[in-house]
C-alpha cells in the first residue's frame, strides 16, 4: 500500500504513476486464439469436442453438450430459501432498473416537411460467457442476462467451461431465474468462436457479453465486427472519498471488498483527515487475517492499494476524474456536492450508508462497469448493448425540392455523379404518378 | 450482376451465398500495424515524422504538422457560394437531428427508498480520421464531427494523410463549418496510435471515429480498450425494395449511387414485377457509361449487384432482414407497412421521393452506418458514441436494512466475505452519527 499526500513535493509524479500503472498483464495469446477460432469456424462441433477434452478435461459426448432442463430445475430447487429469495430480489430490482433504460423511438416531421426518426429493435440472439472457477458468480449471470431479457432478446445463450464436467449449481439457478434455458458446457476462445460463427449444434448469436480470462477477451476482440461485444474488462477497482466522520472499520471493509476480488484489483482512499487515514490503514491490517479471502486481499492491498491525503475532498475530485474509477464511493454528508464534480466514473455510491457491495448484488444498476480508466469513454452494461437503432427518412416532392439541390451540389463536389442523378431525377415537377 | 427468382429451385442456396459472401478482403496487416503502434507509443513525434516521410512522402517539419488557422479560413472563403450554402444547410440539419439523441439523465427514489439513477457526460476529447484520396468526403467530416459537438465534446481533433503535403480544401472547409480547429497532417495506423497514446505535440483523445483503409481499421481494432472506437466499417451497400410503379431510371440511379462508391460496394433490388426488373437492368446498362465513375460502378455492379424477383414485397422482408443492409429504400406507396417488418437495417428511406443519396448529405440522420450485416447488432454513429453514462445509488439506513441482508447472503454464497462485511457492518441500528 502506498501513502500519498497531495502537499508532498513528489505528489504529482507519484500520482501520475498511479494513474498510468497497468495492472493487466499482456497475455500473448493472439496467435493461439486465432488458430482456435479458425478451427471452430472450419470444423464446428468436432473442434469443440477436441478442444474441450484438451483444456477442460472432459468428453462432451459423455458429460453432455448442453445442460438439461432437469439439471437447471434441480439447481433452483436445491437452493437454500434465503439464497433463492436473495437472487429473486436481485433479479426483480435489476429488471426494474434496466426497464427504464429502454430507449424511445422517434418519428417527427420537421419545418422543411421532412419526416425523420429512429426505431430501436433488440438483437435476435445474445451469448453470455460465464467463467468457471473463482469468477463463476451467480450475480454476474443476472447482471448480464437480465438486460438482454429486458431489451427483448428472444434467444439468450450461456456458455461456460465445466472442468471435469462439473458445473456450479448457483450459476444454473441464476440462469433459471433470469429466464435463460440454453446453457452449453463449453468455454474458452472456442466457446466465443462457436457463438460467433455457429456450429452444427449451436446457432450463432449477434452479441457476446460477459467476463473471461485472457483467451476469452482476445477471442472477443478478434471477433468484434463479426458479432457485437461488450467492453474489454480488466481488474476491478474502487475509489473511496471519505471524511473523518466515517467509521474506519466500515471504510476498511469497503476497500477490502475490491481487494479480495483478485490480486490485480485496486482500492484507493482519498481523505482530508490524517488521523482517519491511519485508522483505516490499521483497521485493514486487523481485518485482512480474518477474511477467507485474506491471501488475495493481502496481495492486492500491498501491491495496488493507496491512501491519499488531500487538503479538501472537493480538491480530490479532479484527481478522481483522472483515475476514472469503475466504482466511486462518496462517504460524506453531502455527496451530491462532490458528485456534481464527477465527470468520469462507472458507478457512484453516495453517502455513508451506500457501500459499493450493495450495488454488486441487489440495488439494481449493473455491476458490469468500465475498468482501467475506460469510464473516460465507456459505460456500464445496459439494455442498449442488446439493441440497435434504425434511422429513417421520408421526403415528399416539396421537401425534396427544398433540400435536394444542396445534396446534388455536394454529390457533384465529391465526384459522385450517380448520387447526384439519384436526387436530381426527382427534382422539379415529375410525372404525376410519382411520389405525390 | 445476378438475377435471382424466389420461385426458382436453387433460390435458397443462391440467396444464402449472397448473404454470406464476404466482400471485404482480409488484409494481413496485423503485425505491421502492431509494430507501428509500438513505435509511436515509444518514440512519439519522431516516429510520426519518419512514418509520414515513408508512407505519405512529405517532411512534416517542412509542410507543417498542424494545419494553420489561416489555411482553414482560406479554404472556407474559397468555396463556391452554392457549395458553402449546401454544407451549411447540411451542418444545420445534422445538428438538429442529432440534438434529439441527447440522452436523459435519471434520478429517482423507488418503493424501497433507494435513490438510483444515471447521469451522462461527454468524453473529454474525440479524434476523427479523415482518409486521403478517393474517400476524402467533406460530408463525412460533418457526419463524424457534428455528433461529437452536439454531445458536448470540448476537443475534437482531425487527423488526415496529406500525400505530398496536399490537403483537400473541401475537407478543411467542412471542418471549419463543423467547428473543428485542430487538424493534423498525419494518417495511417500511426495517426490512430498518436491519437490513442498522445505524443509530444498531440494530446491523446478518448474516442476515435471515422473511416479508413485496412491499416487504419486494424489500428483501431488493436487500440480498442485504450480508447473507444466506432464500429468497423466495410464496403457500403443498398437494398431497394420497389414495385413496378417506379420509374426504372430513378431506381437504376439509386442502385448505381452505391455501386459508384467502390468496386466492393453492393446494390440489390427486390421487386415483385418481372417486367420492371428488366427495365431497371436495361437502365443501369444505359447509365453506367455516362458516369464519371463508370469504371468503379461497372465493376461493383457486375461483381456484387443483384436483382431478386419475389412474389410479394411483404414476402421479401424476411430476406431483407437476413441481409441486414446498411441502406434500405422502400419505393412503394405505403412504405410504413413494409417498415413495420424491418428488424435489421442501418437506415431506411421511405417512399418514392426519398433516394438514399439525400440521406448521405443533407437530411440529418447520420450516414455512418453499420455494413456487412452488422445492422443485426449495431447502429449508426450518434451522439451516444461520444458520451458515457455514470450510474449512481444512494441508500439510507432504512433502505439498506430492507435490501442489504440479501446482498450479505449472496456475497457469502459467492465466497466474498469482505463484500458481506461491508454491507453487514451498516445493518441494524448503528451509531447515531452514521447515515441518519
Amino acid at each position: 500500500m502506498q501513502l500519498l499526500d497531495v502537499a508532498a513535493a513528489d505528489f504529482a509524479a507519484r500520482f501520475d504513476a498511479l494513474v498510468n500503472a497497468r495492472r493487466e498483464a499482456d497475455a500473448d495469446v493472439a496467435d493461439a486464439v486465432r488458430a482456435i477460432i479458425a478451427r471452430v469456424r472450419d470444423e464446428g462441433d468436432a473442434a469443440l469436442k477436441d478442444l474441450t477434452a484438451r483444456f477442460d478435461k472432459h468428453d462432451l459426448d459423455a458429460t453432455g453438450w448442453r445442460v438439461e432442463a432437469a439439471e437447471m430445475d434441480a439447481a433452483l430447487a436445491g437452493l437454500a430459501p434465503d439464497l433463492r429469495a436473495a437472487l429473486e430480489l436481485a433479479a426483480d430490482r435489476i429488471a426494474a432498473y434496466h426497464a427504464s433504460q429502454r430507449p424511445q423511438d422517434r418519428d417527427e416531421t420537421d419545418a422543411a416537411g421532412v419526416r425523420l426518426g429512429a426505431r430501436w429493435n433488440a438483437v435476435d440472439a445474445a451469448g453470455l460467457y460465464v467463467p468457471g472457477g473463482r469468477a463463476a458468480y451467480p450475480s454476474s449471470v443476472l447482471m448480464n442476462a437480465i438486460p438482454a431479457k429486458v431489451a427483448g432478446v428472444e434467444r439468450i445463450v450461456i456458455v461456460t467451461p465445466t472442468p471435469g464436467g462439473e458445473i456450479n449449481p448457483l450459476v444454473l439457478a441464476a440462469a433459471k431465474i433470469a429466464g435463460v434455458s440454453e446453457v452449453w458446457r463449453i468455454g474458452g476462445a472456442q466457446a466465443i468462436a462457436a457463438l460467433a460463427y455457429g456450429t452444427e449444434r449451436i446457432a450463432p448469436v449477434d452479441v457476446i457479453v460477459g467476463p473471461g480470462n485472457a483467451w476469452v477477451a482476445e477471442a472477443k476482440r478478434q471477433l468484434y465486427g463479426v458479432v457485437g461485444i461488450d467492453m474489454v474488462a480488466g481488474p476491478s477497482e474502487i475509489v473511496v472519498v471519505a471524511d473523518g466522520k466515517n467509521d474506519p472499520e466500515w471504510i476498511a471493509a469497503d476497500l477490502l471488498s475490491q481487494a479480495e476480488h483478485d490480486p490485480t484489483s485496486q482500492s484507493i482512499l482519498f481523505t482530508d483527515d490524517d488521523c482517519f487515514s491511519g485508522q483505516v490503514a490499521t483497521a485493514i491490517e486487523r481485518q485482512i487475517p480474518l477474511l477467507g479471502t485474506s491471501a488475495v486481499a493481502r496481495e492486492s492491498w500491498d501491491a495496488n492499494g493507496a491512501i491519499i491525503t488531500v487538503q479538501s475532498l472537493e480538491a480530490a475530485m479532479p484527481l478522481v476524474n483522472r483515475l476514472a474509477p469503475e466504482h466511486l464511493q462518496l462517504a460524506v454528508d453531502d455527496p451530491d456536492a462532490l458528485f456534481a464534480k464527477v465527470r468520469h466514473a462507472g458507478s457512484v455510491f453516495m453517502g455513508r450508508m451506500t457501500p459499493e457491495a450493495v450495488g454488486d448484488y441487489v440495488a439494481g444498476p449493473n455491476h458490469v462497469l468500465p475498468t482501467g480508466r475506460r469510464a473516460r469513454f465507456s459505460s456500464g452494461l445496459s439494455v442498449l448493448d442488446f439493441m440497435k437503432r434504425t434511422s429513417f427518412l421520408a421526403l415528399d416532392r416539396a421537401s425534396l425540392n427544398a433540400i435536394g439541390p444542396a445534396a446534388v451540389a455536394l454529390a457533384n463536389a465529391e465526384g459522385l455523379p450517380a448520387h447526384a442523378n439519384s436526387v436530381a431525377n426527382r427534382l422539379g415537377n415529375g410525372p404525376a404518378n410519382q411520389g405525390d
Side-chain angles (χ1 to χ4, degrees), chain A:
Chain A
M1 188 268 289
Q2 300 188 60
L3 273 170
L4 280 76
D5 185 325
V6 78
D10 64 350
F11 177 78
R14 289 185 65 192
F15 189 74
D16 280 352
L18 196 66
V19 168
N20 296 319
R22 297 186 69 239
R23 290 170 289 126
E24 299 161 67
D26 278 326
D28 191 14
V29 296
D31 291 340
V33 166
R34 200 168 290 117
I36 289 172
I37 291 172
R39 268 202 70 187
V40 173
R41 188 179 186 179
D42 294 344
E43 301 167 31
D45 285 338
L48 290 181
K49 181 174 156 74
D50 183 51
L51 293 162
T52 300
R54 193 193 320 167
F55 293 118
D56 295 340
K57 312 292 179 203
H58 66 104
D59 175 359
L60 280 166
D61 291 331
T63 50
W65 289 69
R66 185 169 164 179
V67 175
E68 304 276 349
E71 193 174 352
M72 299 188 68
D73 293 342
L76 187 60
L79 273 189
D82 69 320
L83 262 189
R84 178 165 178 164
L87 280 175
E88 288 173 344
L89 175 71
D92 288 348
R93 293 188 57 88
I94 295 165
Y97 181 82
H98 287 77
S100 302
Q101 291 177 338
R102 274 192 301 245
Q104 298 274 316
D105 292 345
R106 295 168 54 194
D107 188 347
E108 53 217 36
T109 299
D110 70 14
V114 178
R115 177 177 162 206
L116 68 195
R119 205 176 62 190
W120 291 83
N121 281 104
V123 302
D124 287 338
L128 160 54
Y129 192 90
V130 177
R134 182 193 284 168
Y137 296 140
S139 58
S140 289
V141 173
L142 300 184
M143 290 288 184
N144 281 276
I146 291 173
K149 206 81 182 170
V150 170
V153 179
E154 287 180 13
R155 176 172 165 251
I156 305 174
V157 188
I158 286 177
V159 291
T160 187
T162 60
E166 289 295 308
I167 191 163
N168 183 343
L170 277 174
V171 162
L172 292 185
K176 178 91 186 161
I177 287 170
V180 180
S181 58
E182 186 177 340
V183 180
W184 299 90
R185 292 179 199 273
I186 54 171
Q190 60 272 23
I192 303 297
L195 289 176
Y197 289 119
T199 67
E200 298 90 327
R201 283 183 173 82
I202 304 174
V205 304
D206 303 298
V207 170
I208 303 175
V209 300
N213 64 16
W215 295 63
V216 170
E218 176 62 22
K220 285 165 70 179
R221 182 192 297 272
Q222 289 186 18
L223 288 164
Y224 173 60
V226 177
V227 290
I229 63 170
D230 56 355
M231 181 46 58
V232 180
S236 67
E237 63 216 11
I238 190 169
V239 167
V240 178
V241 175
D243 59 27
K245 292 195 283 173
N246 289 279
D247 184 330
E249 296 289 343
W250 294 14
I251 300 297
D254 300 343
L255 293 165
L256 289 173
S257 75
Q258 289 305 303
E260 74 177 345
H261 267 301
D262 194 274
T264 59
S265 299
Q266 181 163 58
S267 308
I268 298 176
L269 170 66
F270 285 88
T271 184
D272 56 356
D273 184 322
D274 268 345
C275 172
F276 184 72
S277 75
Q279 292 171 320
V280 171
T282 305
I284 283 179
E285 293 306 319
R286 189 167 50 234
Q287 290 183 24
I288 286 179
L290 305 175
L291 297 173
T293 50
S294 62
V296 171
R298 173 93 271 156
E299 195 176 340
S300 163
W301 179 246
D302 286 356
N304 305 310
I307 297 181
I308 303 176
T309 311
V310 290
Q311 267 139 4
S312 80
L313 298 184
E314 293 233 330
M317 300 318 289
L319 303 174
V320 170
N321 283 325
R322 284 194 58 205
L323 289 165
E326 180 188 15
H327 303 110
L328 171 61
Q329 213 173 295
L330 302 174
V332 295
D333 283 331
D334 180 14
D336 280 289
L338 295 181
F339 185 43
K341 298 184 183 300
V342 174
R343 283 188 54 79
H344 309 303
S347 196
V348 176
F349 303 85
M350 303 213 284
R352 304 187 198 282
M353 296 301 279
T354 313
E356 184 276 322
V358 78
D360 281 340
Y361 294 109
V362 295
N366 212 285
H367 79 193
V368 180
L369 295 165
T371 57
R373 301 183 64 228
R374 297 189 184 94
R376 289 176 295 125
F377 55 81
S378 69
S379 309
L381 193 72
S382 81
V383 164
L384 296 182
D385 291 295
F386 300 98
M387 302 188 78
K388 69 272 180 352
R389 191 183 52 244
T390 298
S391 56
F392 63 87
L393 271 182
L395 280 74
D396 57 14
R397 185 179 300 284
S399 54
L400 190 67
N401 277 331
I403 69 171
V408 174
L410 290 168
N412 283 325
E414 291 187 352
L416 295 172
H419 283 66
N421 292 343
S422 165
V423 177
N425 283 338
R426 292 170 166 92
L427 296 178
N429 298 302
N433 70 326
Q434 300 291 342
D436 288 305

